[in-house]
Amino acid sequence: MGDRERDIEAIRAFNRIYTERLGLLRPKLDRSPFSLSEARLLYELAQGDTVTAAELSRTLGLDPAQISRTLKRFAGQGLIETTPHPGHGKRRVLSLTQQGQAAFAALERNTRATIGGLVDSLPAFRARRLVAAAEAIASAFEASLPPVPHLRSLRPGDLGLVTARQAILYARDYGWNAEYEALVARILADFQESFCAERDAAWIAELDGEMVGSIFLVHGGTADVGKLRLLYVEPHARGLGIGKLLVATCIAHARALGYARLDLWTNSVLVAARGIYERAGFRLVGEEPHHSFGQDLVGQIWSCDLRTGAGRGEQV
Amino acid sequence: MGDRERDIEAIRAFNRIYTERLGLLRPKLDRSPFSLSEARLLYELAQGDTVTAAELSRTLGLDPAQISRTLKRFAGQGLIETTPHPGHGKRRVLSLTQQGQAAFAALERNTRATIGGLVDSLPAFRARRLVAAAEAIASAFEASLPPVPHLRSLRPGDLGLVTARQAILYARDYGWNAEYEALVARILADFQESFCAERDAAWIAELDGEMVGSIFLVHGGTADVGKLRLLYVEPHARGLGIGKLLVATCIAHARALGYARLDLWTNSVLVAARGIYERAGFRLVGEEPHHSFGQDLVGQIWSCDLRTGAGRGEQV
DNA sequence: CTCCTTTGTTGACTCTATCAACAATATAGT
DNA sequence: ACTATATTGTTGATAGAGTCAACAAAGGAG
């Protein structure tokens, strides 16, 4: 039913398929004398970060009893050696012997070959998607800190991506047709071709390296009036203050470039943006109904006087 | 070093992280009386597709001995019942009892809650990416058939995506600057705004539902001369005949619309495209050096006479 | 009717996973 | 200094997983 249910079902389905294919539950790795737990233990020891049995137990989530016995077996096979911990009599510092490192290296080659075989078994196109998705999942889990939005300047492809995202979002949410996509494409083509660093600027908002919003500062017919254009924030990235950050950055830059006023054109249906503009110091100066993008809309012109304190963030 | 090495490393890293977080190797699922193998077995029985012990052994990849013992234990707990197989005395048809279905339902709730907790533990933004990536991986494995390219018409966002992909590819491979991206954006804005179904058309090539190429048929100044524009195929989707398919489709449609000739403008550095044009029946009619997109290039005009047999596929 | 395959069971054994008990050491509070 | 408490590592006991081998019952191909 709900989004959450569907998400859970998607992950479960993925889980099943992945488990079957990667053989994660195969305790004995193919052609290797080590069980999965042993292999993980060896891996931790080879990394050299975890050096006591208690640490291994915590990092790997294994029972201390099992660790103790496994280590004893490894010591008997000459794979590891222990030295007393300086300043703590009970602890024992663990390290791989030469032989242990060799065993680990063999294990590494083995896993690599297994995964390599998996990758090769897929058509090249799907293998690429698999790797990309794997990286996405790993990065989603790896980062312990919550994602922090940050702004960057334009890169190749940004003009197109902004066009695509806005077209898709407004088509989905408001039924706007391809006329709007063409308008955005033309605005951005004009922006790029008449770009002048003293009068124009653009920022892309990113979250975890993914584009989630944009804003453009464009010169108009009048020298001291700039235009704010194409502000948008991805729905799933809203509520993080990204819109506010984009508008504030744009206003500050416009002021730094010497603009006296900043105008923008928007539509009344875009209520989320409206709030951002108001709080940033914009005032509604005109409204006019029009039929565009296949819909009946009310266009709005907002204006922000940059010579007053407006937009300096005092109305936070 | 190589791409393949990096792919393998990415999947390994993913594997480790995922294993730790989803607890796939925890044989005893949290707060559940069933081991992972038992749970998988119950799942298969609940689906109702696999109904004999031998089938379970094959689908789950488990040892027949283990299956036999687990089933005996389940039968002892009143979770399953067996009926003789019609027409095969040795086989036994397995099914969950009322009690077994209840146990499975509880297990399901449990798993859902666990995964739900995992999803909830991530910031909403990352949770979305996780789900998207999970779906991508599942679909990469699930499909047994190799991906088949197919063409579709335009959807919202396509103009922008085509712009973005071409800008990124040509920036990466040939160092073209944003001037090119602006050109593509303008071409597509013009295409959309002057679109006329009797004279214009566009196709997007897809592989596994992902855009991997495009082509545009555009009317020009002369009524009976059409223009082929913005052909491209993603590097990782090349060698599948997608470029040829796009061009052939475009030519066929141009002919159907009554065009007498098809022209295209390209650059000499795009050698892959050149071969496609030649084989489709285009002939080089003019070349001219120019400085564009930050590079010294040689522009080419190719032309295809639609009144002869050219482009009908006889030069396959 | 014989040979071979499929299906299911049982025995034997190793290893994993887990719980409980316990000893050695370190630390914090009084 | 002394005591309570936590941490670290070990050992015993036990259920189940996983594997290999042997084997019996049934069916099918020649």
Side-chain angles (χ1 to χ4, degrees):
Chain A
M1 299 274 136
D3 267 3
R4 190 159 174 282
E5 289 305 308
R6 225 173 310 123
D7 288 358
I8 291 176
E9 216 32 65
I11 293 185
R12 288 201 61 193
F14 154 72
N15 220 340
R16 265 196 300 278
I17 290 162
Y18 190 72
T19 306
E20 284 163 17
R21 288 299 204 102
L22 263 245
L24 268 180
L25 28 89
R26 229 171 288 154
K28 197 148 265 130
L29 304 174
D30 299 340
R31 299 186 307 277
S32 153
F34 298 108
S35 75
L36 180 55
S37 293
E38 288 173 331
R40 296 213 300 148
L41 210 152
L42 271 183
Y43 177 83
E44 287 300 325
L45 288 178
Q47 294 318 96
D49 298 332
T50 38
V51 287
T52 68
E55 280 173 350
L56 285 175
S57 169
R58 278 189 297 266
T59 347
L60 298 176
L62 295 175
D63 193 277
Q66 193 181 340
I67 305 257
S68 176
R69 277 186 265 260
T70 307
L71 288 177
K72 190 188 284 180
R73 208 173 336 118
F74 280 179
Q77 295 168 1
L79 300 179
I80 61 167
E81 55 193 357
T82 65
T83 51
H85 190 281
H88 199 296
K90 187 92 198 245
R91 279 186 205 151
R92 285 166 55 198
V93 176
L94 305 163
S95 58
L96 290 181
T97 61
Q98 204 102 32
Q99 207 182 331
Q101 283 169 14
F104 174 71
L107 187 62
E108 284 285 282
R109 278 195 299 278
N110 207 324
T111 358
R112 285 226 183 76
T114 306
I115 295 179
L118 178 85
V119 170
D120 294 342
S121 79
L122 293 172
F125 174 74
R126 290 204 181 119
R128 280 192 65 85
R129 291 181 60 185
L130 169 65
V131 171
E135 279 169 348
I137 292 185
S139 76
F141 279 124
E142 236 169 12
S144 48
L145 300 169
V148 176
H150 80 278
L151 306 190
R152 61 164 176 82
S153 55
L154 289 183
R155 281 201 303 240
D158 284 338
L159 302 184
L161 279 180
V162 168
T163 308
R165 290 310 303 161
Q166 292 214 12
I168 289 169
L169 287 174
Y170 295 154
R172 192 193 66 181
D173 294 344
Y174 308 108
W176 294 8
N177 63 19
E179 200 186 309
Y180 180 69
E181 185 161 9
L183 174 64
V184 177
R186 189 173 302 284
I187 290 171
L188 290 175
D190 289 344
F191 170 82
Q192 179 60 45
E193 285 180 1
S194 71
F195 182 84
C196 160
E198 281 77 42
R199 299 192 293 167
D200 302 306
W203 294 268
I204 300 295
E206 280 189 337
L207 217 47
D208 282 350
E210 192 181 310
M211 186 177 98
V212 294
S214 72
I215 201 165
F216 288 76
L217 171 62
V218 188
H219 67 271
T222 326
D224 60 349
V225 178
K227 281 199 220 166
L228 185 161
R229 305 201 80 166
L230 298 173
L231 167 72
Y232 97 101
V233 176
E234 290 287 341
H236 58 266
R238 287 176 191 167
L240 299 173
I242 294 174
K244 186 181 157 188
L245 174 63
L246 285 165
V247 172
T249 304
C250 186
I251 289 177
H253 195 75
R255 187 176 274 123
L257 289 184
Y259 282 114
R261 205 180 80 203
L262 205 48
D263 286 353
L264 68 86
W265 180 80
T266 184
N267 281 281
S268 60
V269 291
L270 307 175
V271 285
R274 177 197 179 106
I276 295 173
Y277 297 138
E278 272 185 332
R279 281 189 293 278
F282 279 88
R283 295 295 162 249
L284 182 61
V285 296
E287 266 188 313
E288 192 176 7
H290 62 109
H291 186 88
S292 303
F293 324 138
Q295 305 287 325
D296 286 316
L297 299 167
V298 178
Q300 300 181 327
I301 293 175
W302 294 69
S303 191
C304 179
D305 189 342
L306 301 180
R307 287 161 306 188
T308 72
R312 280 219 167 82
E314 61 273 40
Q315 309 101 317
V316 175
Chain B
M1 297 279 135
D3 267 2
R4 190 159 173 283
E5 290 305 307
R6 225 173 311 122
D7 288 358
I8 289 176
E9 217 31 67
I11 293 185
R12 287 201 60 193
F14 154 71
N15 221 339
R16 266 195 300 280
I17 290 163
Y18 191 72
T19 305
E20 284 163 17
R21 289 301 203 100
L22 263 246
L24 269 180
L25 29 89
R26 230 170 286 154
K28 197 149 265 132
L29 304 174
D30 299 339
R31 299 185 308 279
S32 154
F34 298 107
S35 75
L36 180 55
S37 292
E38 288 173 330
R40 296 214 300 148
L41 209 153
L42 272 182
Y43 177 85
E44 286 300 326
L45 288 178
Q47 294 318 97
D49 298 334
T50 39
V51 289
T52 68
E55 279 172 352
L56 285 175
S57 171
R58 278 189 297 267
T59 350
L60 299 176
L62 296 175
D63 194 278
Q66 193 180 340
I67 305 257
S68 177
R69 276 185 267 261
T70 307
L71 288 178
K72 189 190 283 180
R73 209 175 333 119
F74 280 178
Q77 294 167 2
L79 300 178
I80 61 166
E81 55 191 359
T82 64
T83 51
H85 191 281
H88 199 296
K90 188 91 197 247
R91 279 187 205 150
R92 285 166 55 197
V93 177
L94 305 164
S95 57
L96 291 181
T97 62
Q98 203 102 32
Q99 207 182 332
Q101 284 170 13
F104 174 69
L107 186 62
E108 283 284 283
R109 278 194 300 278
N110 206 325
T111 333
R112 285 224 183 78
T114 305
I115 295 180
L118 178 85
V119 170
D120 294 342
S121 79
L122 293 173
F125 174 74
R126 289 199 183 125
R128 279 191 65 85
R129 290 181 60 186
L130 169 65
V131 171
E135 279 169 348
I137 292 185
S139 76
F141 279 122
E142 235 170 11
S144 47
L145 301 168
V148 176
H150 79 278
L151 305 189
R152 61 164 175 83
S153 55
L154 288 183
R155 280 202 304 238
D158 284 338
L159 302 184
L161 279 180
V162 168
T163 309
R165 290 309 302 162
Q166 292 213 11
I168 289 171
L169 288 175
Y170 295 154
R172 191 192 68 182
D173 294 344
Y174 309 109
W176 292 8
N177 63 17
E179 199 186 311
Y180 180 68
E181 185 162 10
L183 174 64
V184 177
R186 189 174 302 285
I187 289 172
L188 290 176
D190 290 344
F191 170 82
Q192 180 60 46
E193 285 178 0
S194 72
F195 182 85
C196 161
E198 281 76 41
R199 298 192 294 167
D200 302 307
W203 294 268
I204 301 294
E206 280 189 338
L207 218 46
D208 281 351
E210 193 180 308
M211 187 177 97
V212 293
S214 72
I215 201 165
F216 288 77
L217 172 62
V218 188
H219 66 270
T222 326
D224 60 349
V225 177
K227 282 200 222 164
L228 186 161
R229 305 201 80 165
L230 299 171
L231 168 71
Y232 97 101
V233 176
E234 289 289 342
H236 58 267
R238 289 177 191 166
L240 298 172
I242 294 174
K244 186 181 157 188
L245 175 62
L246 284 166
V247 171
T249 305
C250 187
I251 290 177
H253 195 74
R255 188 176 274 123
L257 291 183
Y259 283 114
R261 205 179 82 201
L262 206 47
D263 284 355
L264 69 86
W265 180 81
T266 185
N267 280 281
S268 61
V269 291
L270 307 175
V271 285
R274 178 198 178 105
I276 295 173
Y277 297 139
E278 271 185 330
R279 279 189 294 278
F282 280 87
R283 295 293 164 250
L284 181 61
V285 297
E287 268 190 313
E288 192 177 7
H290 62 110
H291 186 88
S292 303
F293 324 139
Q295 306 287 326
D296 284 317
L297 299 167
V298 177
Q300 299 182 327
I301 293 175
W302 292 70
S303 193
C304 179
D305 189 340
L306 300 179
R307 287 162 306 189
T308 72
R312 282 220 166 82
E314 58 273 40
Q315 307 101 319
V316 175

